Amino acid sequence: MSNNKEYVSTKDLLTLISTFVVQTTGLVFVKQDETKIKITQKTDSKEIVIDESKLLDVIFRKDPESKNFIQINFIDGEKILITDQLIGFKPHPISGIDLSKMPKVVTTVDLFSVLEAIEDIVAERYNKTDLESLKAIYMSILAGGEKIGFDLSSEKTWLKRIPAIINKTIA
């Protein structure tokens, strides 16, 4: 069900989001002021601020297992999905990656999974092609998360550590 912009104000949209988040088990809601809310994922403490002025629409949906989630559409064309546990977003297209082979929706938690896969490849005297592919996937998720408002500056440094790990493994 989509909200008709003629009848629903952006303040109402922010209230709909807040009401949903308060009922989740994996997210924390904080009202920053009258026009902004902050949502934090308990899993990794990553947070996003949602500004009322950037909201276009909120759509209530169900996944294939009939679990409720909301889709938030922003005026700039971006969108996020908020589930009971996480905030999902689209990976960002970057050179060297075929987005059709990636999930349509990813989360910040996926960064940890990809990093673990990179570490596994390095530990096994890595295959350079697989390593480059995983690095591209990581960067795509990172860029997508930053585009919708997550601060992932510390996650950017993780890939910078890989050359040091590779040098230790090979030496």
Side-chain angles (χ1 to χ4, degrees), residues 118 121-122 126-135 166:
I118 289 171
I121 285 176
V122 170
Y126 74 98
N127 171 313
K128 187 171 177 145
T129 304
D130 290 345
L131 179 63
E132 292 306 314
S133 177
L134 284 171
K135 285 169 69 175
I166 290 171

Side-chain angles (χ1 to χ4, degrees), residues 153-168:
S153 51
S154 64
E155 286 76 3
K156 280 183 176 178
T157 64
W158 293 351
L159 277 186
K160 292 177 184 171
R161 296 179 192 152
I162 297 298
I165 295 168
I166 290 171
N167 290 336
K168 284 182 183 178

Side-chain angles (χ1 to χ4, degrees), residues 10 65 75 90 155 161:
T10 54
E65 292 146 8
I75 57 175
K90 287 190 224 177
E155 286 76 3
R161 296 179 192 152

Side-chain angles (χ1 to χ4, degrees), residues 24-40:
T24 65
T25 58
L27 303 172
V28 176
F29 159 80
V30 175
K31 184 173 184 174
Q32 289 203 295
D33 61 35
E34 292 302 312
T35 63
K36 294 179 186 171
I37 60 171
K38 179 170 59 174
I39 303 169
T40 305

Side-chain angles (χ1 to χ4, degrees), residues 13-170:
L13 294 176
L14 204 60
T15 300
L16 289 171
I17 296 165
S18 303
T19 301
F20 181 85
V21 172
V22 166
Q23 297 172 17
T24 65
T25 58
L27 303 172
V28 176
F29 159 80
V30 175
K31 184 173 184 174
Q32 289 203 295
D33 61 35
E34 292 302 312
T35 63
K36 294 179 186 171
I37 60 171
K38 179 170 59 174
I39 303 169
T40 305
Q41 299 176 142
K42 291 180 182 177
T43 304
D44 62 1
S45 299
K46 290 299 171 193
E47 54 191 36
I48 186 169
V49 174
I50 297 178
D51 186 332
E52 168 190 322
S53 68
K54 296 181 180 180
L55 292 173
L56 177 64
D57 202 8
V58 175
I59 303 168
F60 289 82
R61 301 176 66 186
K62 287 188 182 283
D63 68 13
E65 292 146 8
S66 295
K67 293 182 182 175
N68 294 324
F69 69 96
I70 57 174
Q71 175 179 319
I72 301 172
N73 298 326
F74 297 98
I75 57 175
D76 65 0
E78 293 300 318
K79 66 178 83 173
I80 60 174
L81 303 179
I82 299 183
T83 68
D84 183 61
Q85 298 290 317
L86 297 167
I87 300 166
F89 52 91
K90 287 190 224 177
H92 186 72
I94 62 168
S95 177
I97 192 159
D98 181 0
L99 284 181
S100 69
K101 294 181 180 178
M102 283 187 67
K104 291 183 192 259
V105 178
V106 294
T107 69
T108 55
V109 176
D110 292 322
L111 289 169
F112 297 107
S113 300
V114 176
L115 189 64
E116 286 176 349
I118 289 171
E119 290 172 345
D120 288 347
I121 285 176
V122 170
E124 296 171 5
R125 305 277 190 210
Y126 74 98
N127 171 313
K128 187 171 177 145
T129 304
D130 290 345
L131 179 63
E132 292 306 314
S133 177
L134 284 171
K135 285 169 69 175
I137 291 168
Y138 187 89
M139 293 307 296
S140 174
I141 296 169
L142 186 86
E146 286 186 322
K147 189 170 185 181
I148 56 109
F150 280 112
D151 176 8
L152 300 171
S153 51
S154 64
E155 286 76 3
K156 280 183 176 178
T157 64
W158 293 351
L159 277 186
K160 292 177 184 171
R161 296 179 192 152
I162 297 298
I165 295 168
I166 290 171
N167 290 336
K168 284 182 183 178
T169 305
I170 294 173

